[in-house]
DNA sequence: ATGAAAGCGCTAACAC
DNA sequence: GTGTTAGCGCTTTCAT
């Protein structure tokens, strides 16, 4: 069953059938109605491949992530897909597992399906691997990396905003020994978080020397190891800020293992605000970097480039703010709590 | 840049170029090499839409889930996608949010892109909505619902296997008052789990009367409410088995809120073994229903149907076993623990 | 073994 | 406003 069949049954030409189906306004309403009734009677759906072939537009956007099982990504995928559908786009989802081979294969698949744009959400992947896409002038959007170029947009994350809130929140709870567990330092966004921590500590006169900074790797295991290290120090921190939520969850688990109660004995703050952060016990106070907003920005960056009629010299730049969300993994530092009568929390969760 | 360009530069016909690219063995190795070197020099990638159009095969499988942010799905998507890529398939991922409208739109999108098969992972969606796909003879695979038909395969879950293990594990820890929190009863798989619990209790002579069965809805909030209800009963259970992991996590949270310690005061067992189950504190003992295995089975069910040359009267049936995985949310019932000297666990986690 | 040409299903000139 | 037709990029007969 194809458009010719429809045309024949509606007693019109294929051109008219095509126009009616695509709701071209100039077609005679009588005919249009006839076409549509045949379409509905037969349950006809136009063949997208044929459309794509002739129009040169696939109506597919690529979305490259590290691994969909990384809790950071499901919401991004969900929102990206939902918006895509609203705009009659499909999404080609690929994952790299941070493996250059798989990144290469992702790029190949994108090109073979002739995607109209690609959002790259895999933090810290070699930009070089995307040369093939740039060559083909496919619009690209990155998060937090690289310079603007023609058809290449960027979403900048304002790490300082949320991290400063986190540090000041902790300081307000009388914490002074606030440790930081970093992410892998080869990842730019991890370094940016660390830098925001340093800046926030220094600006309110709190010590942020190397003894309080320990390296993690953005996994739970890394968080556990880092936590163990921190706990073994002679001068133990009373609060710890983590480069991401999985790290914070590692801290919580290690604390649980060694009998340290959170937040009574140790306050912990995460970063990202993945869904999981709400489900751990106690619910994790964390710096939110809205995944849905990120997905939304990425989609619109791509759409803007695709719909641009006159080629711009470079893509656009967007900014995503971060914000502290208060839950229950932080509390007054122990000494102060004693004075204030042992109240479990000073700041109500919003 | 298209195949004609390649042919011209390699000084062969487009037919030969096509054959070389598709590694048809009869083509002269000399020519083949010439073609390939041009292909690589120009970075040529065949246009999948054109291929699909002429071959009538899209090399796309559809995957319908409820919502990718439901922790049950990410691993399914990951594994399904990974296997698909190995077989040169792409996946068209859609979500329904259990909304018939969105289910309809999913089906339309699948048909428009001419998918070669669809895996339906959305538990408890009207089968009727898939009529359009059946009409078009698209191979389908369901989880745990409906009868076998031509080109319709099924994956049956052996709920009893794992749930019996869970009940017996609890019984071995001297629990006798083992409650069950159900899922939404309109969902077949939820009813099957409940039934497996009843059967397992009865067969070892434990009471499974209605007082111990309370209705949940497979969400954390539902688990919290159900837990509150259970805790308010005069005859409180010492252990609770949940229809899924999110429910169990709700139980853990409610317990945390009211100061009940798990597993000391209450043992809890989940179902599904989503990733999250490992991250909560204490790590959740749960009945595993392997998501990767499920994805694998679904993919191969589809592939089998697609590659079948002689049409079979009906699709195949596969079975997925469930298995208890021991973690730390269960322990000896309090009274017995006292006698045994208060050891926290009797059964080491494997 | 290789090439010429038809055609997959659709859209968009172009002519009427 | 409607119809005729070329052609999107590829594979695959059918000749040679």
């Amino acid at each position: 069953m194809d458009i010719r069949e429809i045309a024949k049954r509606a007693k019109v030409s294929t051109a008219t059938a095509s126009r009616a189906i695509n709701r071209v306004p100039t077609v005679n309403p009588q005919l249009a109605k006839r076409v549509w009734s045949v379409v509905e009677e037969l349950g006809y759906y136009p063949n997208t491949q044929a459309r794509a072939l002739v129009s040169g537009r696939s109506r597919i956007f690529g979305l490259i992530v590290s691994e969909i099982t990384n809790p950071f990504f499901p919401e991004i995928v969900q929102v990206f897909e939902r918006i895509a559908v609203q705009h009659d786009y499909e999404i080609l989802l690929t994952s790299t597992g941070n493996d250059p081979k798989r990144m290469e294969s992702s790029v190949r698949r994108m090109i073979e399906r002739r995607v109209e744009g690609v959002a790259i959400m895999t933090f810290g992947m070699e930009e070089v691997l995307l040369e093939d896409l740039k060559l083909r002038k496919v619009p690209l959007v990155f998060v937090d990396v690289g310079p603007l170029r023609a058809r290449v947009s960027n979403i900048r994350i304002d790490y300082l905003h949320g991290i400063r809130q986190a540090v000041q929140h902790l300081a307000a709870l009388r914490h002074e020994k606030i440790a930081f567990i970093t992410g892998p330092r080869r990842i730019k966004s991890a370094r940016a978080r660390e830098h925001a921590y340093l800046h926030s500590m220094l600006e309110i006169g709190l010590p942020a020397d190397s003894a309080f900074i320990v390296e993690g790797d953005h996994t739970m295991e890394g968080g556990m190891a880092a936590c163990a290290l921190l706990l073994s120090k002679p001068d133990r921190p009373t609060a710890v800020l983590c480069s991401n939520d999985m790290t914070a969850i590692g801290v919580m688990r290690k604390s649980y293992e060694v009998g340290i109660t959170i937040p009574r004995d140790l306050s912990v703050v995460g970063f990202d605000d993945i869904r999981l952060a709400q489900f751990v016990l106690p619910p994790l106070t964390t710096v939110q970097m809205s995944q849905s907003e990120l997905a939304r920005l990425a989609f619109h960056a791509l759409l803007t480039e695709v719909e641009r009629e006159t080629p711009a010299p470079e893509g656009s730049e967007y900014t995503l703010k971060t914000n502290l969300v208060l839950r229950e993994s932080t509390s007054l530092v122990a000494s102060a709590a004693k004075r204030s009568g042992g109240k479990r929390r000073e700041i109500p969760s919003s």
Side-chain angles (χ1 to χ4, degrees), chain A:
Chain A
M1 172 189 14
D2 58 17
I3 202 172
R4 272 182 291 260
E5 179 76 15
I6 303 294
K8 197 191 299 175
R9 298 209 188 200
K11 299 188 196 311
V12 296
S13 69
T14 58
T16 301
S18 173
R19 290 189 195 103
I21 288 165
N22 292 299
R23 305 201 180 283
V24 173
T26 59
V27 30
N28 182 331
Q30 298 271 325
L31 296 190
K33 195 178 291 176
R34 237 157 63 205
V35 170
W36 274 104
S37 70
V38 175
V39 164
E40 267 155 27
E41 183 194 346
L42 298 197
Y44 166 81
Y45 294 94
N47 182 325
T48 316
Q49 347 256 25
R51 279 182 159 180
L53 192 57
V54 60
S55 69
R57 300 198 45 184
S58 62
R59 300 205 77 85
I60 301 178
F61 279 151
L63 177 58
I64 306 184
V65 303
S66 305
E67 204 69 88
I68 178 69
T69 47
N70 178 328
F72 185 75
F73 293 112
E75 182 152 2
I76 291 185
V77 174
Q78 177 178 75
V79 174
F80 200 88
E81 191 247 10
R82 191 174 297 191
I83 303 179
V85 171
Q86 285 166 9
H87 293 262
D88 278 317
Y89 271 81
E90 238 24 279
I91 125 175
L92 174 52
L93 176 68
T94 71
S95 51
T96 66
N98 293 321
D99 172 1
K101 283 259 171 275
R102 288 177 63 195
M103 176 53 126
E104 213 178 297
S105 128
S106 289
V107 171
R108 182 183 48 71
R109 290 159 60 197
M110 301 272 162
I111 296 176
E112 284 179 352
R113 300 269 168 188
R114 300 297 189 264
V115 297
E116 296 181 30
V118 181
I120 295 100
M121 296 281 177
T122 151
F123 310 93
M125 178 95 304
E126 323 272 349
E127 242 191 290
V128 203
L129 297 170
L130 299 157
E131 275 313 321
D132 264 346
L133 284 165
K134 290 186 184 157
L135 247 54
R136 286 174 173 73
K137 304 179 187 270
V138 178
L140 261 31
V141 56
F142 287 94
V143 176
D144 218 37
V145 273
L148 251 36
R149 302 229 239 138
R151 281 171 240 89
V152 176
S153 299
N154 245 289
I155 300 172
R156 306 286 176 194
I157 313 291
D158 179 0
Y159 295 105
L160 185 57
H161 195 255
I163 287 181
R164 172 186 275 145
Q165 285 175 38
V167 168
Q168 299 199 354
H169 164 63
L170 258 9
L173 295 175
R174 316 283 198 287
H175 291 277
E176 293 179 353
K177 292 183 284 183
I178 304 172
F180 185 79
I181 303 178
T182 72
R185 288 225 174 78
R186 57 184 169 77
I187 295 182
K188 194 177 164 217
S189 63
R191 290 198 306 272
R193 292 165 197 205
E194 180 176 357
H195 186 263
Y197 154 81
L198 282 169
H199 183 96
S200 303
M201 291 290 281
L202 262 24
E203 75 179 356
I204 57 172
L206 253 27
D209 50 75
S210 57
F212 281 164
I213 301 183
V214 358
E215 187 162 351
D217 60 1
H218 280 179
T219 70
M220 181 180 76
E221 291 73 18
M224 292 176 72
C227 180
L229 199 63
L230 246 18
L231 259 23
S232 71
K233 303 219 181 222
D235 193 26
R236 257 157 72 159
T238 60
V240 47
L241 178 55
C242 304
S243 186
N244 80 342
D245 287 343
M246 285 314 292
T247 301
I249 288 165
V251 169
M252 292 176 79
R253 163 170 290 200
K254 174 55 76 181
S255 302
Y256 175 85
E257 280 182 12
V258 302
I260 285 184
T261 301
I262 288 168
R264 199 195 57 198
D265 308 327
L266 181 70
S267 287
V268 8
V269 178
F271 191 103
D272 279 345
D273 194 24
I274 58 179
R275 277 268 213 287
L276 222 168
Q278 306 168 39
F279 299 138
V280 292
L281 295 176
L284 183 66
T285 289
T286 188
V287 176
Q288 157 170 301
M289 162 168 157
S290 168
Q291 283 113 78
S292 32
E293 192 54 24
L294 185 57
R296 206 162 297 148
L297 288 174
F299 185 87
H300 284 114
L302 257 21
L303 197 63
T304 302
E305 285 306 311
V306 164
E307 291 181 342
R308 203 193 282 290
E309 43 245 341
T310 59
E314 47 181 48
S316 311
E317 186 158 284
Y318 305 81
T319 302
L320 180 63
K321 270 230 178 341
T322 57
N323 277 294
L324 184 67
V325 356
L326 255 26
R327 287 202 269 256
E328 299 170 31
S329 62
T330 55
S331 72
L332 264 185
V333 74
S335 52
K338 222 169 289 169
R339 259 181 286 128
S340 86
K343 282 168 69 179
R344 197 165 138 265
R345 284 185 61 76
E346 202 62 1
I347 307 222
S349 67
S350 56

